[in-house]
């Protein structure tokens, strides 16, 4: 979060994106519960990625350790 300051990169750490942050946290919790392979983990991550694509973001950084695990598994 702090490292993005000064690069004109917006992150999801603001109140308007609470639903997306909740989905990301749910994915993290699923990985920690050893449920990386589940359809739920895949769907939650895909929904968040599709949301960001609909906002026409240029890039998506999967900055938590758990997110790339789900992404690469599916």
């Amino acid at each position: 979060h702090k490292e993005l300051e000064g690069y004109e990169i917006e992150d999801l750490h603001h109140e308007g994106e609470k639903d997306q942050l909740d989905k990301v946290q749910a994915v993290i919790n699923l990985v920690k519960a050893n449920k990386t392979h589940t359809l739920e983990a895949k769907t939650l991550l895909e929904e968040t990625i599709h949301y960001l694509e609909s906002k026409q973001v240029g890039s998506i950084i999967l900055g938590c350790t758990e997110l790339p695990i789900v992404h690469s598994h599916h």
Side-chain angles (χ1 to χ4, degrees), residues 44-73:
L44 287 168
L45 186 58
E46 283 180 348
E47 287 175 355
T48 301
I49 290 171
H50 291 315
Y51 170 81
L52 293 170
E53 289 173 337
S54 76
K55 303 277 277 183
Q56 299 179 345
V57 300
S59 299
I60 298 171
I61 300 171
L62 301 176
C64 298
T65 303
E66 295 84 2
L67 301 180
I69 291 171
V70 172
H71 187 263
S72 66
H73 185 78

Side-chain angles (χ1 to χ4, degrees), residues 14-58:
H14 52 82
E15 205 50 41
E17 306 295 344
K18 183 171 179 346
D19 185 49
Q20 301 310 310
L21 291 171
D22 290 345
K23 288 179 183 180
V24 168
Q25 187 60 56
V27 171
I28 292 168
N29 293 340
L30 287 167
V31 171
K32 289 180 178 181
N34 199 27
K35 296 182 178 179
T36 303
H37 63 285
T38 64
L39 181 59
E40 181 181 13
K42 176 185 178 193
T43 301
L44 287 168
L45 186 58
E46 283 180 348
E47 287 175 355
T48 301
I49 290 171
H50 291 315
Y51 170 81
L52 293 170
E53 289 173 337
S54 76
K55 303 277 277 183
Q56 299 179 345
V57 300

